[in-house]
Amino acid sequence: MQTTEDLALPCQPRVVALLLSELLSDLPNLRRVNQLFGCDPVLAARLLALANTPEHQMAGMVRGIPQALALLGVSQLRMLVNGAQKGMAVRVVQGMALEPFWRYSLMTAKLARSLAGMAHMDGSAAYAAGLLHGMGQLMLHHTQSVATAPLDEAMDIWDPRRARMEERHWGHCATHTTAALLKQWRLPRELVDSLQCMENPLAFDQFEPMAGVLHLAVWRIRTQAAQWDERSTALSFPSEVGVAMGLDMDVVMQQDTSRWMHSGF
């Protein structure tokens, strides 16, 4: 089993520093701690993986960051963040700029939570899934840069068409790698299945609503990242997924993601 510690993936130095400062207190501000863990995919993954270990008797049941924080003690959180500092030594991931990765992961998480609320679903779980959805892309670029380099030359990783290209070349896409990682870390089946189905949620016998939420959120953030014009964006809207979720294009487009761009913490 490949643990979050084994991967030593990069996390944001500022977030780590702020968390360490907050956790110096025996009674830290949990709202602030929740916000900070919710800004960084790697820290959130480590947190959820720890909360879902068998020793806490909640393996496969902890779906969101607030639930994980309620389960773990301050000393465990300190150890987790101290351990995450190993990932801070990684300043460059070949072929992948880290600042956009952190920014788009956060924006996807916030949009997924918003759309989940409209669909009367668990916003905390949707936020976690949105925040972690790019972990496979990060892991592949960190550990298999030779394999990702030809694809990076042909297409940006945030291009909405990237997953289809990966499936043609590899037989799978980076989001499937994310799902495999979450399964290894014993995260809830709902999160694993939603990420496994995210790129094409209607292709499976049983429709997973969380996959639909993620699909719409990721579509919106990817088209923005790729700077597609209004016409191209409208033509690419996954209308069948929108119908299945009861969310039309106007509803999704009206979410003001621009205000989330620099509002991490």
Side-chain angles (χ1 to χ4, degrees), residues 7-262:
L7 288 174
L9 294 171
C11 45
Q12 300 173 75
R14 185 186 176 198
V15 177
V16 171
L18 290 171
L19 270 171
L20 288 174
S21 176
E22 191 65 50
L23 293 170
L24 286 175
S25 170
D26 290 331
L27 293 172
N29 184 327
L30 288 181
R31 181 178 179 182
R32 178 68 168 159
V33 172
N34 178 74
Q35 290 174 336
L36 290 167
F37 271 107
C39 288
D40 190 282
V42 173
L43 288 171
R46 290 172 65 92
L47 176 72
L48 290 167
L50 178 59
N52 279 287
T53 53
E55 66 186 84
H56 294 111
Q57 301 181 336
M58 292 287 287
M61 292 187 281
V62 182
R63 295 151 49 95
I65 293 170
Q67 188 182 6
L69 292 175
L71 185 66
L72 302 175
V74 175
S75 61
Q76 291 174 301
L77 296 177
R78 288 192 195 115
M79 290 179 61
L80 184 156
V81 179
N82 278 317
Q85 291 185 89
K86 291 189 296 183
M88 290 169 57
V90 180
R91 300 294 185 183
V92 177
V93 173
Q94 190 68 33
M96 187 173 186
L98 292 175
E99 289 293 341
F101 166 71
W102 293 323
R103 182 168 65 253
Y104 295 134
S105 296
L106 179 60
M107 291 171 66
T108 302
K110 291 183 176 183
L111 181 53
R113 180 175 59 193
S114 179
L115 296 178
M118 295 179 188
H120 308 290
M121 296 169 57
D122 184 346
S124 179
Y127 187 98
L131 188 67
L132 300 183
H133 86 279
M135 288 288 291
Q137 198 70 261
L138 180 65
M139 193 276 281
L140 289 170
H141 280 79
H142 185 51
T143 63
Q144 300 181 38
S145 59
V146 173
T148 58
L151 275 67
D152 293 341
E153 291 178 6
M155 186 179 294
D156 188 82
I157 61 173
W158 304 112
D159 192 293
R161 301 162 295 187
R162 171 71 181 228
R164 291 195 296 273
M165 186 176 73
E166 291 172 349
E167 289 181 345
R168 288 197 301 270
H169 282 258
W170 298 335
H172 63 87
C173 66
T175 313
H176 295 151
T177 301
T178 302
L181 288 172
L182 268 58
K183 185 176 182 180
Q184 286 186 17
W185 301 334
R186 301 188 180 91
L187 268 62
R189 181 175 177 177
E190 179 188 13
L191 299 186
V192 175
D193 289 350
S194 65
L195 285 158
Q196 184 66 33
C197 303
M198 184 194 84
E199 300 293 351
N200 193 3
L202 298 178
F204 296 82
D205 293 336
Q206 184 171 350
F207 177 67
E208 173 55 63
M210 185 69 75
V213 164
L214 290 174
H215 186 83
L216 293 174
V218 168
W219 164 81
R220 178 61 176 143
I221 300 305
R222 285 175 177 171
T223 54
Q224 284 188 317
Q227 299 182 334
W228 283 13
D229 61 30
E230 186 175 337
R231 182 175 184 276
S232 297
T233 299
L235 289 173
S236 71
F237 179 69
S239 56
E240 291 184 350
V241 178
V243 169
M245 296 301 303
L247 299 169
D248 62 27
M249 183 173 68
D250 289 340
V251 170
V252 178
M253 294 283 285
Q254 284 168 6
Q255 303 304 301
D256 187 9
T257 56
S258 62
R259 64 187 173 88
W260 300 336
M261 184 73 77
H262 303 291

